[in-house]
Amino acid sequence: MRIIVHTGKGGVGKTSISAATALRCAEMGLKTIVISTDTAHSLGDSLEKEIGPEPVQLYPNLWAQEVDARYSMDKYWGLFQKYMIALFSKQGVEDVVAEEVTILPGLEEGAHLLWINKYVKEGQFDVLVVDAAPTAETLRLLSLPDVTRWWFERILTLTRGVGRVIRPISKLMRRGDALPDEAAFGQVEQLFDTLDNVRKLLTDPEMSSIRLVVNPEKMVIKETQRTYTYLNLYGYATDAILCNRIIPPEVVDPYFNVAKAKQQENLAFIGEAFGELPLFKAPMFGQEVGGLETLRKLATVLYGDKNPADKMFGGRTHTIESKGDGNFVLSVPLPFANKDDMDLYRSRDELTLRVGPYRRNIVLPYALWDLEIGDAKFEQSTLRIQFIKNERVSKQRA
């Protein structure tokens, strides 16, 4: 099974591209499901079909689903939440408020990930296409297994230990029904095991690909760069950039001339920003993209004769590793570079490499902003840049 996740800044056309990609896969004979994890669902509008929180078959080989967080939470989190609501309600908290406060941080969004695990486990589809939320929400979602596991191990494990002591006393006081029993805790553990498994699925480059959707606008590209850097930090493999809404060259109108010229500059900048990642381009259509006919056209111009389910890129354009002492190493593969023809420029949150006539622009994560470049070595066709603590700044803060 292949999992393809489309993400990008809000409004770049992720939903249309997700729908078009799923339709192309289905028409190539692959049993395909496309799911939307964006709270502002528009997948049904794009496909011009009524869809809901459970998968619906729309066309031969094609299913679609708009994941509803509340529906998913009831399905996967209901038993434990029921006990927690009872506990809070008996402490004088209103039922509606109790329901809100008993949801673990991030788990409402995390319910989306549980469907991925379900479809992989059941094995009934060849391709799963995810129309993900805008980049900030997607990053929170992908880091969720790490964050919630910390919360669970420290808070819920403590609650469980206390519950073993208090439950017998509570039963004597006729309040035993207000404390979670082992079945409820078992459901929570299963939930987190599932989230851990989804993390493994999404970080397996042979199974999963993250694809970044952009428009040829500088602000959009910069945000997408930042997303790409954080995806590398979390270990998620990005295998393509999909650039949408490019003004076609046949559009000849003084009104669009400046915009067209700027778009061409920004398309060149995409090469600097994402290195060897494959770039797929789609034009701005003269009509709204929706329904089979226009989605099919979009898939054709985007992929040509390629199968969207194929893995598009096998490497990483850069990686950032923590050395465990507050220092980091940024590695940038440069297979045909000559170390005598390299320049390195650094601002607080960006790094620019020049290699011969080519440039790479890398947005740095927040953790590196206040670190200094300690060393830079070019070996085995890879530039390795060490980021170290500024001792003078550290002493001042201490």
Side-chain angles (χ1 to χ4, degrees), residues 329-341:
V329 173
L330 167 66
S331 299
V332 186
L334 299 168
F336 302 109
N338 184 329
K339 69 177 181 179
D340 297 326
D341 198 15

Side-chain angles (χ1 to χ4, degrees), residues 345-365:
Y345 311 92
R346 192 260 170 100
S347 63
R348 190 175 184 224
D349 65 338
E350 288 186 7
L351 195 70
T352 302
L353 305 175
R354 186 192 62 79
V355 184
Y358 303 102
R359 293 203 323 165
R360 281 290 314 279
N361 181 277
I362 299 171
V363 172
L364 301 175

Side-chain angles (χ1 to χ4, degrees), residues 90-288:
K90 293 201 176 200
Q91 298 296 334
V93 179
E94 292 289 336
D95 288 357
V96 174
V97 178
E99 184 176 348
E100 293 296 324
V101 300
T102 54
I103 296 176
L104 284 179
L107 271 194
E108 194 163 359
E109 297 94 337
H112 304 316
L113 298 177
L114 302 173
W115 291 96
I116 295 174
N117 185 73
K118 170 182 163 66
Y119 294 135
V120 172
K121 193 174 180 181
E122 291 176 352
Q124 65 187 84
F125 297 106
D126 301 311
V127 182
L128 167 61
V129 178
V130 181
D131 171 27
T135 46
E137 293 177 47
T138 299
L139 286 173
R140 278 201 302 272
L141 198 63
L142 294 178
S143 63
L144 185 67
D146 293 332
V147 175
T148 49
R149 173 61 72 180
W150 182 94
W151 204 97
F152 173 64
E153 287 177 349
R154 285 158 180 77
I155 306 299
L156 291 186
T157 304
L158 176 63
T159 307
R160 186 182 210 170
V162 171
R164 285 181 180 142
V165 176
I166 294 178
R167 192 175 294 111
I169 301 171
S170 297
K171 285 181 179 177
L172 291 174
M173 298 173 64
R174 298 182 180 178
R175 296 197 53 182
D177 60 333
L179 286 171
D181 61 13
E182 287 303 309
F185 277 113
Q187 188 185 50
V188 179
E189 287 189 274
Q190 185 179 9
L191 179 70
F192 282 94
D193 288 343
T194 301
L195 288 174
D196 284 340
N197 190 53
V198 172
R199 167 70 183 262
K200 290 174 188 172
L201 296 173
L202 292 177
T203 53
D204 178 359
E206 297 305 316
M207 174 174 278
S208 303
S209 296
I210 310 290
R211 293 181 183 167
L212 300 173
V213 183
V214 300
N215 295 150
E217 300 170 16
K218 199 67 169 281
M219 187 182 296
V220 175
I221 297 167
K222 297 298 283 185
E223 180 175 319
T224 308
Q225 275 185 279
R226 193 166 289 107
T227 302
Y228 179 55
T229 295
Y230 281 102
L231 287 171
N232 277 329
L233 274 176
Y234 290 128
Y236 296 99
T238 303
D239 76 342
I241 304 296
L242 310 176
C243 190
N244 194 26
R245 298 178 184 152
I246 301 170
I247 300 172
E250 59 268 21
V251 174
V252 180
D253 188 307
Y255 183 81
F256 287 103
N257 285 346
V258 174
K260 281 172 65 178
K262 195 64 182 173
Q263 282 195 352
Q264 291 307 308
E265 285 180 27
N266 290 334
L267 284 168
F269 180 65
I270 288 173
E272 294 180 17
F274 301 103
E276 312 87 55
L277 275 177
L279 173 62
F280 295 85
K281 302 175 185 177
M284 180 183 292
F285 284 82
Q287 64 188 96
E288 191 174 346

